[in-house]
Amino acid sequence: VIGFDPLEHRLAERAAVERHEWLTLLPYAIGDGECHTLYVNNDDATSSLFPLNDAHNARFNHLCGLHTVSTRTLRTRRLDDVLPPGPVDFLKLDVQGAELMVLQSAQRTLEQTAVVHCEVEFGPIYLGQPLYPDIQAFLNQRQFELIDLVMPQRYHYVGSGVEAAEDRLLWADAVFFRITEDAETRRAQ
């Protein structure tokens, strides 16, 4: 298992909790290999290479309280450059709107990947981010098919008067399998 996080304190926390010889944690932001601004938000799990879309987010519970507390410039790393050669059974992406950027810069990796488990957004939580249809189209063109949407996250509209009705699907995790007859890949799936 190889994990990445550009926020050093989060990487250290995970390393302290998950001390296993099979776990490698690297302090990288995964992307396209170029320099980008990292927007660190008050809920740092929402930190992203894309700025928050305040106009959109102001309409929804939880999202309306998000704001950027700092920024920093960093060079991202491409998966093709940091993963060792060989098959990838399971590729999990949760990079807050930059999933398509990561996938577009991971051609070699995708050719050897059995399963892509990828966070996708259905509304523009971040300015300029690609949404679910863009990611599905990209993966479909590379012989991946959607298997399921899991962990759907719904929010209610602020001021709707119906606080319990979380009626807007804003993000979920999409699971894609590579279409193949290869026995090893099918076994990993």
Side-chain angles (χ1 to χ4, degrees):
V1 176
I2 301 171
F4 308 93
D5 198 320
L7 299 175
E8 296 86 5
H9 69 284
R10 289 293 179 211
L11 203 62
E13 287 172 1
R14 183 161 182 201
V17 172
E18 298 183 45
R19 293 179 185 254
H20 300 288
E21 65 278 352
W22 46 261
L23 177 64
T24 301
L25 297 173
L26 300 171
Y28 306 148
I30 299 302
D32 58 6
E34 300 297 321
C35 286
H36 292 275
T37 299
L38 176 65
Y39 297 86
V40 181
N41 299 324
N42 57 318
D43 176 352
D44 63 15
T46 67
S47 297
S48 176
L49 298 177
F50 292 92
L52 288 166
N53 184 348
D54 295 332
H56 173 270
N57 297 343
R59 300 172 17 204
F60 300 101
N61 68 302
H62 178 64
L63 297 179
C64 64
L66 296 177
H67 61 275
T68 299
V69 295
S70 67
T71 61
R72 65 181 186 204
T73 301
L74 50 73
R75 179 168 297 281
T76 62
R77 307 285 182 103
R78 296 172 351 118
L79 283 176
D80 281 355
D81 297 333
V82 297
L83 292 180
V88 176
D89 291 339
F90 187 82
L91 177 62
K92 171 75 165 84
L93 295 176
D94 183 353
V95 289
Q96 301 310 116
E99 287 79 8
L100 186 58
M101 176 195 303
V102 170
L103 292 168
Q104 289 171 332
S105 300
Q107 298 297 323
R108 177 186 53 82
T109 300
L110 284 177
E111 290 171 359
Q112 301 175 63
T113 298
V115 178
V116 174
H117 182 134
C118 179
E119 185 176 281
V120 294
E121 280 84 23
F122 300 96
I125 296 170
Y126 303 96
L127 290 172
Q129 76 167 115
L131 297 176
Y132 169 72
D134 305 306
I135 293 168
Q136 179 166 2
F138 179 84
L139 286 171
N140 288 163
Q141 291 169 357
R142 279 142 193 89
Q143 301 304 305
F144 284 85
E145 62 185 345
L146 178 68
I147 299 301
D148 202 358
L149 293 173
V150 296
M151 298 177 54
Q153 299 299 306
R154 291 179 171 82
Y155 295 84
H156 64 73
Y157 290 91
V158 173
S160 66
V162 188
E163 304 299 308
E166 295 190 343
D167 52 3
R168 175 67 190 270
L169 175 65
L170 286 178
W171 61 271
D173 285 350
V175 180
F176 296 89
F177 282 8
R178 185 157 48 93
I179 301 168
T180 183
E181 295 303 319
D182 178 70
E184 289 301 313
T185 302
R186 297 291 295 266
R187 197 170 356 272
Q189 294 170 338

